[in-house]
Amino acid sequence: MILVRYVLKELIAPFLAALLGITFLFVVDFLVKILDNVLSKGLPAETVLEIFALNLAWMLSLSIPMAVLVASLMAFGRLSGDQEITACKAAGVSPLSLMRPVLLVSLLISLLMVIFNNWVLPEANHRSVELMNAVSRKKPHVFIDAGRLITQFPDVQLWVNRIDPVSGTLYGIQIFEMEKRGAPRIVYADSASMEYADNGATLMLRLRSGETHMTDADNPENYFRIRFFSQDLAMKNVDDRLERRSRSYRSDREMPIEMMTEVVEDAQKKYVEYRDAALEKRLGSLVALRNDVEGDSIVPESVESGVTLDSIQRRRSLQRLRVQEIATFRTTERLYGRMEAELKREAQYTVEIQKKYSTSFACFIFILIGAPLGIMARKGGIGTGILYSLAFFVIYWICLIGGENMADRLLVSPYLAMWASNIIIGAFGIFITIAMVRDRFSGDSKSFRAVRAVGRFFKNIFGFLGRKFR
């Protein structure tokens, strides 16, 4: 028991250090991306902190498994480097005995990560999207960038060639006002300044030296070009205040497993409905074709200009059948398209469900990599072990992201796509664990004896868990 507490104590410091360091890197990357837009809107400090806190959830969901990997590597690497692993072997304590409490703790962390990913993370993502939507509605002029089409304003699209960084004056302006009827009104101006009116609800553009091009909505043949020296353009429904609005819609990243399961069941139900409708439509077309063929089997007796009425009737019947077949084909094609869309929707949400489990279970998988690498690092140094662990981590996320893309395109099963990285990394972890245990045995059968030892090791772990949760 003393040895167990000692090993777990060795993991705490590197875990916290790795967690803080990795999370800090995510925070810096996040702040670089949004800090300019957020600070330019004059938000209060508590709102900025709320944005940071809400986005901290997805950062922790990534950084905790990474921290587990680094902590296990560093802790067991230090034990190996200080010859404490050798001392334990001399005392008859197997390295597997040192790994057992760490693996049990990693399973507990995996369980907590499932709860976190299922309840905390989706709600944080949902509130973050609501808050960022409110931020985007506050002072939308900060989204005006030179050389980019701006579509954030209601019913107005804006293009600016250059912006004076000191005065904020816009140069080379093109404005497209989307009218309810007819073609859009197009306004060109050499320059413009901006200011708010109506308590921040309207953004006024003071246009200078330009032209307005428009057509008559009642008579599109009438075209007008109006030149102006100065003109004001009001963009309404723009609020300078931070107004939060509730948002009922949730994306897959904002749903817990229970809500996504309902979406998957709905997609499966609609797929069956569209499939039955397509089969029924196709079967009805075949029945109609058979009836038409049987109805045209009677041959009329009259003949005119060398062409029988039977041939004319058959030609018309074939034309009618061709039209019916084209209509049936288009209908079934639409139904097949809807079936494919439902399959993709089912796969998309199934991927997100399985991802919550697989990324949580990665904490256990990374222990299988970090602990043996740390123990065996005495042969190549801690630096070599870190490089190997980082390589495994990159491979894990490449497999995860690639599998997600393939599953969304219906190329592989969502279950295989999300668990393949765990299977691959876990299998290699078991392999290097067996390689580590082989050092304890001698003789020609040491590989077989090492496999049996590792097998008994995992059997004892899962047997212990079974007795605890029975």
Side-chain angles (χ1 to χ4, degrees):
M1 192 64 183
I2 297 176
L3 188 59
V4 170
R5 289 198 300 267
Y6 179 74
V7 173
L8 294 179
K9 183 179 178 181
E10 287 294 317
L11 284 168
I12 295 176
F15 174 77
L16 294 178
L19 182 62
L20 291 176
I22 296 171
T23 306
F24 176 76
L25 295 178
F26 282 125
V27 170
V28 171
D29 180 68
F30 174 74
L31 292 179
V32 168
K33 291 180 179 178
I34 72 162
L35 193 60
D36 184 39
N37 286 337
V38 169
L39 293 183
S40 61
K41 292 176 176 290
L43 298 175
E46 56 269 19
T47 302
V48 177
L49 290 176
E50 184 179 358
I51 294 174
F52 169 76
L54 291 175
N55 286 274
L56 191 63
W58 66 263
M59 300 179 194
L60 290 176
S61 68
L62 297 177
S63 60
I64 289 177
M66 296 174 66
V68 169
L69 173 62
V70 176
S72 61
L73 172 71
M74 299 303 297
F76 284 94
R78 194 204 66 77
L79 293 175
S80 178
D82 293 346
Q83 302 301 321
E84 295 183 26
I85 297 294
T86 304
C88 290
K89 290 181 180 179
V93 179
S94 169
L96 293 177
S97 300
L98 302 179
M99 290 176 55
R100 184 180 295 113
V102 180
L103 286 172
L104 293 175
V105 171
S106 68
L107 284 176
L108 176 61
I109 295 176
S110 297
L111 178 60
L112 295 177
M113 286 298 298
V114 170
I115 298 174
F116 179 85
N117 290 339
N118 187 44
W119 294 106
V120 179
L121 182 59
E123 190 63 28
N125 288 339
H126 182 65
R127 294 188 181 184
S128 176
V129 171
E130 287 184 340
L131 181 56
M132 293 306 296
N133 287 341
V135 170
S136 66
R137 292 190 296 266
K138 176 181 170 62
K139 291 186 178 180
H141 72 271
V142 300
F143 288 104
I144 299 178
D145 295 328
R148 185 173 68 89
L149 185 64
I150 311 303
T151 60
Q152 275 81 7
F153 301 102
D155 300 326
V156 174
Q157 296 181 359
L158 178 66
W159 176 275
V160 178
N161 290 334
R162 183 172 64 88
I163 301 177
D164 190 329
V166 178
S167 63
T169 303
L170 312 179
Y171 295 95
I173 304 167
Q174 301 178 35
I175 301 174
F176 306 89
E177 290 189 277
M178 308 306 295
E179 301 287 345
K180 294 182 178 180
R181 297 187 303 164
R185 185 175 71 161
I186 305 176
V187 180
Y188 300 95
D190 292 339
S191 63
S193 60
M194 296 181 293
E195 63 182 49
Y196 283 94
D198 299 335
N199 296 322
T202 302
L203 177 63
M204 299 295 299
L205 288 180
R206 309 289 183 181
L207 305 174
R208 299 289 184 271
S209 301
E211 294 180 349
T212 300
H213 298 256
M214 57 185 301
T215 59
D216 190 348
D218 297 327
N219 188 2
E221 295 181 358
N222 295 332
Y223 179 81
F224 303 97
R225 185 179 69 172
I226 305 172
R227 295 181 178 179
F228 59 86
F229 177 76
S230 177
Q231 178 176 298
D232 292 342
L233 178 64
M235 296 185 182
K236 299 182 179 180
N237 299 324
V238 174
D239 203 340
D240 187 38
R241 298 164 296 179
L242 183 64
E243 181 184 356
R244 305 196 186 200
R245 301 174 185 174
S246 60
R247 179 171 167 268
S248 58
Y249 171 76
R250 288 176 179 255
S251 65
D252 52 358
R253 303 294 174 89
E254 305 169 48
M255 291 184 180
I257 293 175
E258 294 77 10
M259 294 180 64
M260 288 191 290
T261 302
E262 294 178 358
V263 176
V264 170
E265 293 175 353
D266 180 68
Q268 293 173 346
K269 179 181 178 181
K270 289 186 177 180
Y271 171 81
V272 173
E273 292 177 356
Y274 293 143
R275 182 195 63 188
D276 294 342
L279 293 176
E280 182 180 357
K281 189 69 177 179
R282 194 60 185 169
L283 181 60
S285 175
L286 294 176
V287 172
L289 176 62
R290 186 191 64 181
N291 293 337
D292 287 340
V293 171
E294 292 176 354
D296 291 340
S297 59
I298 301 176
V299 181
E301 298 177 356
S302 58
V303 177
E304 183 178 355
S305 302
V307 180
T308 65
L309 293 177
D310 178 55
S311 63
I312 298 175
Q313 184 178 4
R314 288 185 178 275
R315 189 182 304 116
R316 292 176 178 176
S317 178
L318 290 174
Q319 291 175 350
R320 185 172 64 254
L321 289 175
R322 182 171 179 271
V323 172
Q324 293 176 355
E325 281 296 311
I326 292 175
T328 302
F329 174 76
R330 291 176 178 175
T331 302
T332 53
E333 187 178 25
R334 287 194 298 268
L335 291 173
Y336 286 139
R338 293 176 182 176
M339 289 167 59
E340 184 179 3
E342 294 301 327
L343 286 177
K344 289 183 177 181
R345 185 162 71 109
E346 177 188 356
Q348 174 188 353
Y349 285 88
T350 304
V351 161
E352 290 300 320
I353 292 174
Q354 296 304 315
K355 186 192 295 184
K356 293 182 184 297
Y357 292 116
S358 63
T359 55
S360 301
F361 195 69
C363 297
F364 179 82
I365 297 298
F366 286 156
I367 292 293
L368 293 179
I369 295 295
L373 282 178
I375 293 175
M376 301 170 68
R378 53 183 170 82
K379 298 179 180 180
I382 295 297
T384 303
I386 292 178
L387 290 178
Y388 281 138
S389 66
L390 291 178
F392 281 117
F393 183 78
V394 171
I395 292 173
Y396 180 88
W397 286 106
I398 288 177
C399 293
L400 192 69
I401 296 173
E404 180 178 359
N405 292 332
M406 295 178 67
D408 289 341
R409 290 183 291 171
L410 304 179
L411 298 179
V412 297
S413 168
Y415 299 93
L416 177 61
M418 290 296 97
W419 288 96
S421 53
N422 284 346
I423 294 172
I424 295 173
I425 302 298
F428 195 85
I430 295 175
F431 172 78
I432 61 176
T433 302
I434 294 174
M436 176 192 67
V437 175
R438 287 178 72 248
D439 295 339
R440 296 182 59 241
F441 302 104
S442 60
D444 297 335
S445 61
K446 61 180 182 179
S447 296
F448 177 72
R449 295 170 65 187
V451 171
R452 291 185 59 186
V454 173
R456 288 195 302 268
F457 169 70
F458 285 106
K459 181 179 179 180
N460 293 334
I461 287 181
F462 291 109
F464 172 79
L465 293 176
R467 290 191 300 271
K468 288 294 183 181
F469 293 99
R470 186 175 298 170

